[in-house]
Amino acid sequence: MADRKTCPKFDQIMQDTTTNKQINSPTTAAAALRLFFHDCLVEGCDASVLISSRPFSKAERDADINLSLPGDGFDVVVRAKTALELACPGVVSCADILAVATRNLVTMMGGPFYTVKLGRRDGLVSRASRVEGNLPRPTMSMNQLISIFSSRGFSIQEMVALTGAHTIGFSHCKEFSSEIYNYSRTSQYDPSFNPRYAEGLRSACADYHRNPSLSVFNDVMTPRNFDNAYYQNLPKGLGVLKSDRALVMDPRTKPYVELYARDQKVFFEAFGRAMEKLGLYGVKSGRRGEIRRRCDSFN
């Protein structure tokens, strides 16, 4: 297990790696956050999402919903792993690296600092077939979304706090194209959008058929700051994804959106606590896991 004794340079190496990567690729923070989330909700926080597929086994990262995970998230983990293997070989798991990198990057973007406990082991299973239905999709109903979280022991309030991760990063146009083009016979776009915002999205995404990588910021106001603007945007109809806009329309989630929109300090505390809890979900120890030599393949 990694700790300050077995790898004294751990914190320094993690800090250097995440800082350099974020400065060179400003989308890294959002990429790592999404990668961590997609890792933890399937099999627990065990770096199973980092495994590459092999000829007869399709790994998690090749499941449909994970194909859009940005490369910067994978890359920051690999860079840290390479540096750590030189400093203290065989000590630090890829799962611990992903958890700490995510926290460092959130903090770099102005978000809260929270504690990351160490000692995760890397999982021994990564199957694409286990992904679908275990990760939230923007098209899911609120009941489906709540059940994904509650089945793992997360409250509705924790779900709303974790969704605040959408204060950074972006969404691909193809994820929401059906809500801004030919939405219904009476409206081009979903009426839950702010009309001017919908028009802006329609022009930003106009070429998405030819250019599938086209994307827009999740938080149109302060896309590069980790803050509570995401929640302030929602009542104004400025949520990109259907699941974002739904948070302010459902009586179970709306009070928390309003609370976090009013008070950034309360949001930061709730987000930090929820991330600490998420980071402990389904963690492997002992012989149920290993310390991978490379993050993309089992030993």
Side-chain angles (χ1 to χ4, degrees):
M1 135 161 199
D3 58 34
R4 310 295 176 256
K5 287 191 200 66
T6 52
C7 195
K9 289 193 173 152
F10 175 73
D11 288 321
Q12 189 59 55
I13 290 173
M14 287 303 304
Q15 198 54 58
D16 292 348
T17 309
T18 46
T19 304
N20 291 336
K21 177 68 185 166
Q22 176 65 24
I23 288 168
N24 290 316
S25 314
T27 57
T28 304
L33 193 47
R34 185 152 172 248
L35 190 60
F36 177 67
F37 202 74
H38 281 226
D39 180 38
C40 291
L41 286 185
V42 182
E43 312 284 357
C45 306
D46 65 351
S48 52
V49 74
L50 302 176
I51 291 289
S52 294
S53 293
R54 297 196 305 273
F56 299 103
S57 65
K58 191 173 164 187
E60 271 175 47
R61 67 188 287 176
D62 288 320
D64 175 49
I65 193 172
N66 284 337
L67 293 174
S68 62
L69 287 171
D72 285 327
F74 293 92
D75 185 57
V76 72
V77 175
V78 170
R79 286 180 188 215
K81 179 65 170 171
T82 306
L84 286 162
E85 283 304 303
L86 288 171
C88 39
V91 173
V92 186
S93 69
C94 301
D96 274 354
I97 292 172
L98 178 55
V100 173
T102 301
R103 191 273 317 277
N104 289 0
L105 289 158
V106 163
T107 309
M108 252 188 103
M109 300 290 284
F113 179 88
Y114 53 91
T115 311
V116 177
K117 290 198 171 78
L118 299 177
R120 293 168 194 74
R121 291 185 86 100
D122 297 323
L124 303 168
V125 175
S126 179
R127 295 202 191 108
S129 57
R130 298 200 182 185
V131 174
E132 191 54 49
N134 287 313
L135 288 173
R137 281 189 177 271
T139 48
M140 285 178 174
S141 71
M142 190 55 73
N143 285 342
Q144 286 172 299
L145 293 169
I146 288 172
S147 110
I148 282 183
F149 285 89
S150 65
S151 67
R152 291 171 174 76
F154 291 90
S155 67
I156 291 177
Q157 177 157 14
E158 287 167 331
M159 176 185 87
V160 177
L162 287 170
T163 312
H166 287 173
T167 181
I168 55 174
F170 46 82
S171 293
H172 288 94
C173 292
K174 61 175 185 297
E175 292 291 324
F176 55 88
S177 56
S178 61
E179 292 147 54
I180 55 172
Y181 300 116
N182 309 321
Y183 179 72
S184 68
R185 276 186 307 197
T186 50
S187 174
Q188 275 292 324
Y189 53 83
D190 181 335
S192 63
F193 277 114
N194 173 304
R196 277 181 57 199
Y197 183 52
E199 288 304 336
L201 291 175
R202 284 164 56 81
S203 63
C205 291
D207 206 26
Y208 85 98
H209 276 300
R210 271 200 308 237
N211 179 0
S213 63
L214 268 186
S215 51
V216 298
F217 286 119
N218 288 326
D219 167 6
V220 65
M221 293 304 177
T222 56
R224 289 184 182 83
N225 298 351
F226 196 101
D227 55 21
N228 66 337
Y230 165 78
Y231 299 105
Q232 296 174 348
N233 293 339
L234 295 182
K236 303 171 187 158
L238 301 177
V240 180
L241 302 173
K242 198 183 177 92
S243 52
D244 293 325
R245 299 190 305 281
L247 287 177
V248 79
M249 300 193 276
D250 191 292
R252 293 168 291 184
T253 51
K254 189 180 179 197
Y256 301 120
V257 171
E258 290 170 342
L259 173 64
Y260 299 149
R262 263 199 318 275
D263 194 331
Q264 181 166 289
K265 189 166 167 280
V266 171
F267 163 51
F268 276 14
E269 280 166 14
F271 182 81
R273 274 199 310 273
M275 287 294 283
E276 281 177 40
K277 180 171 168 180
L278 178 62
L280 299 174
Y281 176 72
V283 166
K284 312 287 184 294
S285 56
R287 297 174 69 174
R288 294 180 52 228
E290 62 182 7
I291 307 276
R292 280 184 216 146
R293 289 191 269 287
R294 291 180 47 129
C295 290
D296 62 355
S297 63
F298 303 117
N299 288 347

